[in-house]
């Protein structure tokens, strides 16, 4: 498991350039361009179970869900940031991508600490420090448990 | 209990007596805005649409604006799929290419109204707060789910009160004011919040309020909203919206705010947002003399008539400097028509401007006016992120229409007060 560390205000253009928005729609088309203008190695080297650490305002900018779809498809276990931009946060909920808002955990990671994450327990361990995060509100948990908003919606429609 | 604008609207629409920040409520938005992304949105739910249909054909508003006219076979197919969807499900509020930028169209066509809730799969959906509408951005998946169910959850936001005083000194404009505010608040200073403008708002017309509301998301805001006053009502008269077609909400005097700020508009000077973040705002003095290869007046932030006029005023009878190029995009067809009638377009073309169709054009780097490595552009848009205009090795500076026009005349970033 590798930790990818980035700074503040990683915006959606860095995560997925706008120029591809209307030409890349399938997940296979999206993946190679993920983080292209931020870190050329990311799409080549990322592996399932990796974690991203970032600073403030991660995902700011356009309403662009390709970064969320791409990170999820690459199997990113969680994005840990000091804070997230609103639309990105909502998009992550809707895709079931785990976001952890913890400025303390981000500060604790300087680049060499061992990192482990237990989603069940709501526990993130960075070096010798343990951080806990609260459970999701029920409305949002229901979406996560269904496997994302579309699955949740489809189930709901079937019941009606 | 005293309540803010956001608390009042969400309480009313979720049928609660009162709501508090942090509470999650279920609402049925009045409209769902989509643009060229309507094709990827509907593609997520093709089967379900066949089975259940669109929950309400009045719900969606679709405006083709992002890559218009189509730039390639792929983008043409995208538009084609949207037109098929519109016909199949009898979508009433459809605006094909050439009508304008979605946010401008929503307000101009009287769809963005006070007290309505509009969710849009575009981050600048917050623009309609200019006319007292509760509007904010969502993602594509959520838009797809809304097409099927017509309802979603919203978290009641904390609110921030921006008390404005004084008056802007032209050519200092609403764009300088909002860049000044964002420079102070920083890019995440209003994250998840509802930003309310109070105080001397009566010195700002609807076009200027639009510029302010539009950029709310650049400080992270969920909403950015103005009170509905005589200025708003006069605007509705001019576009033919009946006064009884909406309900006005506004904050109570003693509502609770997370933060209260005061800005004296008479102290604001021309400013420029330097690459690559919108909150990297500096006084024009620090930017003066930077050579620019491209100048852009337009986008949903500054493509209205007063913006084109501000540029034309400086350019009248003069020529764009040979070291640079000037692109102008009217934000909508009706603005374009008015600018033709008033001679504004003629002035701009004579000065050497290239007029692009009413749409997003170079703003998102998908086509038209893309930048080459090493080039610098000064633009009236709302974002200057790395790669935003198609090239990660180019630089984008954000400024007001007057500053951009002044820079087009000299080929370097210039103070409109000195060029005029
Ligand atoms: S003009 Fe630019 S910011 Fe506005 S909607 Fe179009 S792409 Fe987005």
């Amino acid at each position: 498991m590798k930790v990818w560390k980035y700074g503040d205000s990683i915006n959606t253009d860095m995560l997925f350039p706008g120029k591809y928005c209307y030409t890349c729609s399938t997940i296979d088309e999206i993946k190679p361009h993920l983080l292209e203008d931020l870190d050329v190695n990311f799409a080549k080297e990322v592996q399932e179970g990796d974690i991203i650490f970032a600073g403030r305002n991660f995902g700011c900018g356009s309403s662009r869900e390709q970064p969320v779809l791409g990170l999820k498809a690459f199997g990113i276990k969680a994005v840990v940031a000091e804070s997230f931009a609103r639309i990105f946060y909502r998009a992550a909920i809707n895709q079931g991508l785990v976001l952890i808002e913890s400025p303390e955990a981000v500060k604790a990671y300087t680049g060499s600490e061992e990192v482990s994450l237990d989603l069940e327990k709501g526990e993130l361990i960075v070096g010798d420090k343990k951080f806990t995060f609260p459970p999701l509100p029920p409305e949002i948990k229901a979406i996560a448990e269904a496997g994302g908003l579309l699955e949740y919606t489809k189930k709901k429609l079937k019941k009606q | 209990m005293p309540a803010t604008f956001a608390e009042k609207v969400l309480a009313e629409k979720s049928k609660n007596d009162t709501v508090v920040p942090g509470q999650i409520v279920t609402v049925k938005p009045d409209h769902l805005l989509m643009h060229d992304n309507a094709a990827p949105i509907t593609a997520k739910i093709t089967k379900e649409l066949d089975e259940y249909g669109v929950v309400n054909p009045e719900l969606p508003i679709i405006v083709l604006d992002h890559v218009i006219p189509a730039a390639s076979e792929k983008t043409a197919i995208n538009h084609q799929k949207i037109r098929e969807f519109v016909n199949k499900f009898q979508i009433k509020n459809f605006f094909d290419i050439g009508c304008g930028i979605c946010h401008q169209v929503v307000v101009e066509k009287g769809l963005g109204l006070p007290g309505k809730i509009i969710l849009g799969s575009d981050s600048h959906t917050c623009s309609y707060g200019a006319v007292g509408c509760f509007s904010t951005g969502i993602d594509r998946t959520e838009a797809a789910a809304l097409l099927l169910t017509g309802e979603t959850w919203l978290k009641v936001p904390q609110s921030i009160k921006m008390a404005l005083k004084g008056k802007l000194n032209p050519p200092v404009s609403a764009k300088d004011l909002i860049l000044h505010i964002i420079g102070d608040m920083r890019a995440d200073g209003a994250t998840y919040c509802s930003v309310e403008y109070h105080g001397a708002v009566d010195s700002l017309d609807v076009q200027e309020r639009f510029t302010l509301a539009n950029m709310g998301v650049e400080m992270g805001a969920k909403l950015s909203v103005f009170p509905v006053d005589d200025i708003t009502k006069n605007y509705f008269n001019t576009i033919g919206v009946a006064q009884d077609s909406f309900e006005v909400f506004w904050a109570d005097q003693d509502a609770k705010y997370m933060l209260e700020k005061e800005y004296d508009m008479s102290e604001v000077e021309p400013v420029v947002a330097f690459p690559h973040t919108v909150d990297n705002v500096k006084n024009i003095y620090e930017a003066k003399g930077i050579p620019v290869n491209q100048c852009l007046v337009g986008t949903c932030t500054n493509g209205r008539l007063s913006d084109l006029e501000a540029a034309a005023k400086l350019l009248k009878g003069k020529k764009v400097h040979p070291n640079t190029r000037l692109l102008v995009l009217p934000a909508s067809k009706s603005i374009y028509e008015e600018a033709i009638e008033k001679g504004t377009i003629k002035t701009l073309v004579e000065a050497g401007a290239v007029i692009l169709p009413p749409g997003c054009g170079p703003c998102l780097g998908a086509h038209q006016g893309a930048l080459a490595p090493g080039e610098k552009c000064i633009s009236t848009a709302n974002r200057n992120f790395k790669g935003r205009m198609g090239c990660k090795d180019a630089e984008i500076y954000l400024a007001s229409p007057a500053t951009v026009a002044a820079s087009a005349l000299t080929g370097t970033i210039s103070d409109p007060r000195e060029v005029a």
Side-chain angles (χ1 to χ4, degrees):
Chain A
M1 193 269 296
K2 182 176 161 138
V3 175
W4 300 82
K5 174 135 185 173
Y6 301 110
D8 288 339
S9 293
I10 303 300
N11 61 60
T12 49
D13 280 285
M14 288 171 169
L15 295 172
F16 186 79
K19 62 185 169 199
Y20 304 125
C21 275
Y22 298 97
T23 48
C24 299
S25 46
T26 68
I27 197 69
D28 289 334
E29 287 169 330
I30 291 170
K31 277 161 98 177
H33 298 298
L34 218 66
L35 276 63
E36 186 173 275
D37 288 349
L38 175 68
D39 179 352
V40 283
N41 295 324
F42 181 85
K44 287 183 222 143
E45 293 169 12
V46 62
Q47 285 188 353
E48 193 164 342
D50 286 0
I51 295 181
I52 295 176
F53 274 69
R56 289 161 58 173
N57 211 15
F58 188 88
C60 60
S62 299
S63 158
R64 197 169 291 168
E65 74 180 14
Q66 293 90 337
V68 179
L69 294 171
L71 293 176
K72 180 90 182 143
F74 273 132
I76 288 290
K77 192 164 178 192
V79 184
V80 184
E82 289 182 45
S83 65
F84 293 95
R86 196 197 132 255
I87 301 178
F88 185 85
Y89 196 86
R90 219 176 155 95
I93 290 170
N94 291 339
Q95 301 303 337
L97 174 71
V98 179
L99 302 186
I100 300 170
E101 197 165 76
S102 173
E104 299 80 19
V106 172
K107 293 219 166 77
Y109 182 75
T110 63
S112 55
E113 292 77 5
E114 283 281 324
V115 174
S116 70
L117 173 63
D118 188 328
L119 292 174
E120 289 292 309
K121 285 200 210 147
E123 247 176 46
L124 173 68
I125 295 170
V126 181
D128 54 7
K129 298 199 180 81
K130 185 160 96 184
F131 303 92
T132 51
F133 41 94
L136 297 170
E139 293 85 350
I140 295 170
K141 197 160 175 231
I143 295 170
E145 277 169 0
L149 180 67
L150 279 187
E151 305 315 315
Y152 174 79
T153 305
K154 288 172 189 173
K155 261 198 221 149
K156 211 163 100 182
L157 285 169
K158 278 223 175 78
K159 270 196 223 142
Q160 282 169 6
Chain B
M1 204 169 81
T4 63
F5 168 82
E7 289 156 12
K8 283 199 177 166
V9 174
L10 290 179
E12 169 82 15
K13 302 288 169 141
S14 66
K15 304 196 172 64
N16 282 299
D17 288 338
T18 54
V19 296
V20 291
Q23 186 178 342
I24 289 180
V25 296
T26 302
V27 293
K28 287 189 163 57
D30 296 281
H31 288 293
L32 162 68
L33 171 82
M34 296 178 283
H35 43 66
D36 297 35
N37 61 18
I41 289 168
T42 53
K44 290 173 186 286
I45 47 169
T46 320
K47 229 181 76 208
E48 289 71 25
L49 279 172
D50 281 339
E51 195 170 335
Y52 307 103
V54 172
V55 66
N56 166 11
E58 309 262 335
L59 177 74
I61 302 170
I62 303 180
V63 186
L64 299 189
D65 62 354
H66 269 53
V67 185
I68 60 111
S72 62
E73 185 179 334
K74 261 200 158 165
T75 48
I77 293 171
N78 195 59
H79 289 168
Q80 181 183 48
K81 285 187 183 146
I82 295 170
R83 294 187 189 104
E84 282 166 12
F85 168 78
V86 164
N87 287 332
K88 186 164 169 190
F89 294 99
Q90 307 273 304
I91 305 301
K92 205 179 103 205
N93 296 308
F94 173 60
F95 303 92
D96 211 323
I97 69 162
C99 292
I101 304 171
C102 57
H103 306 306
Q104 181 63 29
V105 170
V106 166
V107 172
E108 224 175 67
K109 298 289 178 189
L111 293 161
L113 290 175
K116 304 262 184 221
I117 295 184
I118 301 188
L119 300 182
S121 56
D122 188 279
S123 58
H124 295 104
T125 302
C126 57
S127 304
Y128 329 141
V131 292
C133 180
F134 183 114
S135 58
T136 191
I138 54 170
D139 61 88
R140 290 179 178 181
T141 295
E142 182 142 9
L146 265 172
L147 279 175
L148 296 169
T149 66
E151 67 173 30
T152 189
W153 61 274
L154 287 175
K155 188 157 109 180
V156 180
Q158 302 258 23
S159 296
I160 295 176
K161 184 174 184 174
M162 300 281 186
L164 302 179
K165 57 180 222 185
K167 246 183 143 160
L168 293 167
N169 295 314
V172 177
S173 73
K175 180 59 163 290
D176 296 295
L177 173 61
I178 188 64
L179 286 175
H180 175 81
I181 293 175
I182 293 167
D184 179 48
M185 292 287 294
R186 306 313 304 260
D188 58 353
T191 300
Y192 309 122
C193 292
S194 167
V195 173
E196 292 179 4
Y197 287 94
H198 292 251
V201 292
D202 50 1
S203 72
L204 300 169
D205 64 18
V206 168
Q207 310 189 57
E208 294 169 305
R209 294 176 188 186
F210 198 126
T211 302
L212 286 157
N214 174 269
M215 290 194 70
V217 66
E218 309 311 331
M219 50 178 154
K222 177 173 194 156
L223 319 175
S224 212
V225 65
F226 281 81
V228 175
D229 56 9
D230 289 344
I231 295 172
T232 331
K233 289 179 182 159
N234 285 340
Y235 174 73
F236 283 136
N237 281 339
T238 61
I239 59 167
V241 169
Q243 303 288 339
D244 59 359
S245 56
F246 54 82
E247 197 185 341
V248 174
F249 293 83
W250 193 238
D252 292 316
Q253 284 256 305
D254 45 355
K256 280 205 185 61
Y257 294 93
M258 189 189 88
L259 178 69
E260 298 193 25
K261 298 285 279 186
E262 196 178 80
Y263 293 99
D264 187 343
M265 295 190 279
S266 58
E267 284 175 3
V268 177
E269 291 198 71
V271 289
V272 175
F274 276 56
H276 295 285
T277 58
V278 184
D279 59 0
N280 190 12
V281 177
K282 298 182 186 176
N283 190 291
I284 186 84
Y285 291 125
E286 295 184 54
K288 255 170 65 176
I290 297 174
V292 283
N293 308 87
Q294 181 165 293
C295 306
L296 172 69
V297 176
T299 79
C300 55
T301 315
N302 281 126
R304 280 166 288 280
L305 189 65
S306 55
D307 302 318
L308 305 192
E309 283 176 338
K313 199 173 152 200
L314 283 160
L315 288 157
K316 196 167 176 68
K318 303 186 183 141
K319 291 274 179 255
V320 169
H321 194 278
N323 289 353
T324 193
R325 45 194 191 259
L326 172 64
L327 308 180
V328 175
L329 299 100
S332 73
K333 176 170 181 281
S334 72
I335 292 168
Y336 201 175
E337 285 172 337
E338 253 188 283
I340 289 173
E341 256 168 54
K342 294 200 155 173
T344 318
I345 295 290
K346 187 161 184 273
T347 305
L348 292 168
V349 172
E350 279 172 356
V354 178
I355 313 290
L356 297 177
C360 301
C363 183
L364 73 160
H367 70 149
Q368 291 178 344
L371 299 174
E375 285 196 325
K376 291 179 169 51
C377 174
I378 186 162
S379 162
T380 63
N382 44 36
R383 288 201 176 119
N384 57 353
F385 300 158
K386 211 177 173 143
R388 174 79 183 175
M389 288 176 75
C391 170
K392 74 172 182 354
D393 299 315
E395 290 188 341
I396 305 165
Y397 295 77
L398 304 178
S400 73
T403 301
V404 172
S407 309
L409 279 174
T410 60
T412 61
I413 298 183
S414 299
D415 187 336
R417 294 170 302 189
E418 291 165 9
V419 172

